[in-house]
Amino acid sequence: MTTNNSLGEAIEVLQQLGLKEYEARCFVGLSRLHTGTAKQLSEMTEVPRTRVYDAVRVLEAQGLVEIQHSSPQQFRAVPLDEATETLRDQYEDRVERLHDALDTVEIVEEDDETPVQQVWAMSGRDTIENRTNQLIDEAAVEIVLVVGDESLLTEALVASLNEVGNGVDLLIGALTESLQEQIQTAVPDATTFISGLEWLHSEDATEDETAIGRLVLIDRSTILVSSLMPDTMEEQAIFGEGFGNGLVVIARRLMAQGLLTARDPKQ
Amino acid sequence: MTTNNSLGEAIEVLQQLGLKEYEARCFVGLSRLHTGTAKQLSEMTEVPRTRVYDAVRVLEAQGLVEIQHSSPQQFRAVPLDEATETLRDQYEDRVERLHDALDTVEIVEEDDETPVQQVWAMSGRDTIENRTNQLIDEAAVEIVLVVGDESLLTEALVASLNEVGNGVDLLIGALTESLQEQIQTAVPDATTFISGLEWLHSEDATEDETAIGRLVLIDRSTILVSSLMPDTMEEQAIFGEGFGNGLVVIARRLMAQGLLTARDPKQ
DNA sequence: CTTTTTGTGATTAAACGAGTTACTTTTCAA
DNA sequence: TTGAAAAGTAACTCGTTTAATCACAAAAAG
């Protein structure tokens, strides 16, 4: 049911932005029509003619189309830039209201016995990248980072890495030589390496296995490990903090084991 | 059914942002809990315990909460700033995709007989304000503007008004003296006035009638008139362009009639 | 004056979301 | 070890929303 062209994309996105199907269809229809009647729209968009009127009215109320009250009435879409700006404003307003509403309250302390062993799961590339960068920003002593895939080396990451204080050790591992070089040039202050990472690879043949995404160890007390789902390439991560955390301890040992051999001989 | 405090607001806004009710409730619940179990959440948010799990999973997938897979599992909300940033990113991405998808296509010329008489309807304060400012920016010769309510004199409007080229006549009318003064100080270059506007007021007594919002006449060829709904204060406008446009002609005459008497004697 | 178009309103059927229940698994205390 | 409570999963019910159709009044067009 995918409409071949990019119009389908537009319809989908509009629905994600909160419009109903008919509304979305009508809007993209109008976007390529300069001006149109209910009939034209109906034919072009597959929206039943009698429902075009409702859809367009909603769109008008949202500031996305204009209506000419003649007979037959004519519709036209607001200029694209104006429309996107309107949507942006709408959303920005909402996010702001949310922020205001929540940062006033926020505090409900209860009888707390925070267990030491904290391991949290996160998913979604953006989420994980945000967290990664934040961790890097907060590092005080040492950052050990292994990047498993080129696509994860984003501008924001590089920026964060280049901003670490100079009291902080910066060790970055890569799975391939080309990636290593890329990193070394992007982040001159870092010590980069490759070997010692064999344990990250799957020993078995079938290559469509879960791949390592990132691996972050901050100040030897906080760790984040992510993997890339083989099919969707969606990223999932676990994230542990606290010195006493078992996961962190294990990771620390593993890294020390795997890295020392690489660190000392190579430079 | 309004939850007294600002938490209700947060829930509402989250739903406007696309979350389901349970998801919204769970998120605000977690926002004030630092960390919580399904049971705690259920009690605090009125979400059935058995449905908390689904809701939280969705939230996790959106990068809004983290899950600790222990037993019982623990949930916590991402820091507020991180959450809002995530939402912002999501939306920005969508709007951008929409923009890309639409500005590639845009053109479907058909056998065109564009009627001369174009009058378009718009609604929503933001929409109308955007259009107003845009019209002002594009004016080449003359701007006649009447502001019917103080709340319409926004920063953006003032900015636009102060940026008009100096070949452009700028006439601004107000319905009250205080508004006039306010405008004159905000926009020094403008010629402001009051009288000659009697025809804008409703002659009848009942004051909860539709009020005039703005009235914009650009280069004597484009007009925008808006009114404020008495109950909701929502703004609605009609917008006509083209020299031959009947509405514009009438408006021009009316304005000339009503304004000249005010313009010449007064300065 | 008839026949299309245009527009409104009501109606049906399917999809979805909120709320509930039954049932399995785990945890914890006797 | 066992029995009860808590945690987690999965299925189902009910009401609302939404896509889609239909019947009909009002307005152009011929």
Side-chain angles (χ1 to χ4, degrees), chain B residues 74-214:
Chain B
Q74 300 261 115
F75 313 121
R76 74 168 163 185
V78 150
L80 182 55
D81 289 330
E82 211 172 311
T84 51
E85 188 53 28
T86 299
L87 290 170
R88 238 186 283 270
D89 289 354
Q90 248 185 45
Y91 214 70
E92 186 52 40
D93 180 63
R94 288 178 188 159
V95 172
E96 208 169 289
R97 286 225 304 281
L98 174 68
H99 196 283
D100 290 353
L102 282 184
D103 77 353
T104 44
V105 214
E106 187 78 51
I107 347 110
V108 170
E109 274 314 330
E110 354 115 52
D111 42 335
D112 231 332
E113 25 107 4
T114 318
V116 229
Q117 192 88 336
Q118 309 235 120
V119 180
W120 300 93
M122 327 173 59
S123 65
R125 186 162 295 205
D126 290 343
T127 314
I128 297 171
E129 178 171 354
N130 276 348
R131 177 60 54 94
T132 301
N133 295 338
Q134 191 185 316
L135 290 175
I136 290 173
D137 292 344
E138 290 166 358
V141 179
E142 184 196 61
I143 298 171
V144 182
L145 172 67
V146 177
V147 181
D149 190 273
E150 190 174 344
S151 67
L152 300 176
L153 193 71
T154 63
E155 287 181 26
L157 214 205
V158 171
S160 286
L161 288 171
N162 279 313
E163 270 171 16
V164 300
N166 49 8
V168 182
D169 274 349
L170 189 47
L171 292 168
I172 309 185
L175 291 186
T176 68
E177 271 194 41
S178 74
L179 227 194
Q180 181 186 15
E181 284 170 27
Q182 209 175 317
I183 293 172
Q184 188 68 73
T185 48
V187 190
D189 289 347
T191 306
T192 62
F193 60 91
I194 291 191
S195 48
L197 265 29
E198 297 77 16
W199 54 276
L200 282 180
H201 288 99
S202 49
E203 335 79 69
D204 222 319
T206 44
E207 250 334 355
D208 56 0
E209 225 172 297
T210 303
I212 182 74
R214 359 174 169 234

Side-chain angles (χ1 to χ4, degrees), chain A residues 2-260:
Chain A
T2 25
T3 354
N4 49 5
N5 43 24
S6 70
L7 296 181
E9 160 105 359
I11 294 177
E12 259 182 56
V13 176
L14 279 167
Q15 285 183 270
Q16 290 175 357
L17 290 171
L19 296 191
K20 307 301 169 201
E21 188 184 326
Y22 285 171
E23 294 156 18
R25 300 188 99 88
C26 283
F27 183 76
V28 313
L30 284 175
S31 291
R32 43 198 299 235
L33 216 47
H34 217 69
T35 191
T37 66
K39 190 175 185 204
Q40 291 176 285
L41 256 190
S42 165
E43 284 162 0
M44 146 171 283
T45 62
E46 316 263 55
V47 174
R49 186 185 59 81
T50 56
R51 307 278 88 228
V52 168
Y53 301 97
D54 312 64
V56 165
R57 262 193 283 273
V58 174
L59 290 170
E60 198 256 16
Q62 303 217 11
L64 295 178
V65 308
E66 295 163 18
I67 301 180
Q68 182 175 11
H69 292 289
S70 49
S71 181
Q73 42 188 181
Q74 301 259 119
F75 312 121
R76 72 167 164 185
V78 151
L80 182 55
D81 290 329
E82 210 172 309
T84 50
E85 188 53 30
T86 299
L87 290 170
R88 236 186 283 272
D89 290 353
Q90 249 184 45
Y91 215 70
E92 186 52 41
D93 181 64
R94 289 177 188 160
V95 172
E96 208 169 289
R97 286 225 304 282
L98 175 68
H99 196 282
D100 290 352
L102 282 185
D103 77 354
T104 44
V105 214
E106 187 79 52
I107 347 112
V108 171
E109 275 313 330
E110 354 114 52
D111 44 334
D112 231 333
E113 25 107 3
T114 318
V116 229
Q117 191 89 336
Q118 308 236 121
V119 180
W120 301 90
M122 328 173 58
S123 66
R125 184 161 298 204
D126 291 343
T127 314
I128 296 171
E129 177 172 353
N130 275 347
R131 177 58 55 94
T132 301
N133 294 338
Q134 191 185 314
L135 290 176
I136 290 173
D137 292 344
E138 289 167 359
V141 179
E142 183 196 61
I143 298 171
V144 181
L145 170 68
V146 176
V147 181
D149 190 273
E150 188 174 345
S151 66
L152 299 177
L153 193 71
T154 63
E155 287 182 25
L157 214 204
V158 172
S160 285
L161 288 171
N162 278 314
E163 270 170 16
V164 300
N166 51 6
V168 182
D169 273 349
L170 189 49
L171 292 168
I172 310 185
L175 290 185
T176 68
E177 270 194 42
S178 72
L179 225 193
Q180 179 186 16
E181 284 169 26
Q182 209 175 318
I183 293 172
Q184 188 69 72
T185 49
V187 190
D189 289 346
T191 306
T192 62
F193 60 91
I194 291 192
S195 50
L197 266 28
E198 298 77 16
W199 54 277
L200 282 179
H201 288 98
S202 51
E203 334 80 68
D204 223 317
T206 46
E207 249 335 356
D208 55 1
E209 225 173 298
T210 302
I212 182 77
R214 1 177 166 231
L215 198 157
V216 189
L217 182 60
I218 303 289
D219 295 346
R220 315 212 165 186
S221 70
T222 300
I223 187 162
L224 186 154
V225 184
S226 85
S227 54
L228 272 15
M229 295 296 106
D231 41 351
T232 59
M233 283 300 276
E234 254 296 291
E235 193 172 3
Q236 290 194 290
I238 57 172
F239 163 65
E241 36 186 359
F243 239 109
N245 190 308
L247 179 68
V248 174
V249 173
I250 291 178
R252 207 157 57 215
R253 303 235 170 108
L254 263 173
M255 303 282 275
Q257 191 76 357
L259 295 184
L260 281 176

